[in-house]
Amino acid sequence: MSRAPPDLTLALPVPPSANALWAHPGAGKPRTRSDAYRAWLYDAGWSVRRQMGGAPPLTCTFDALIVVPAASRRDRDNWTKP
């Protein structure tokens, strides 16, 4: 089964590991996003804005295909969690 080429392709910075997404401040306090995760969200958001180049925001459902470098030793599922 062949797929049609995507209408939009975006390249994002490498996300932090799934183990590094959350900070645990201590007993009785809720977990929060880690500094690394917050920095990645900021960088990824601006990367998308630069690549969209004035296109209108997406206001519909869509399918996403995540391409992971074949040489990566990282758990493949860690790329999709952030």
Side-chain angles (χ1 to χ4, degrees), residues 15-75:
S17 167
N19 292 331
L21 297 180
W22 303 102
H24 303 277
K29 295 182 181 178
R31 69 182 184 167
T32 60
R33 292 177 178 164
S34 68
D35 290 340
Y37 189 25
R38 273 197 294 272
W40 180 80
L41 288 169
Y42 181 84
D43 292 342
W46 278 106
S47 178
V48 168
R49 287 189 73 151
R50 280 192 301 274
Q51 293 174 66
M52 293 292 286
L58 298 175
T59 59
C60 58
T61 60
F62 60 91
D63 291 326
L65 173 66
I66 299 173
V67 179
V68 178
S72 174
R73 296 183 55 165
R74 187 183 240 188
D75 177 5

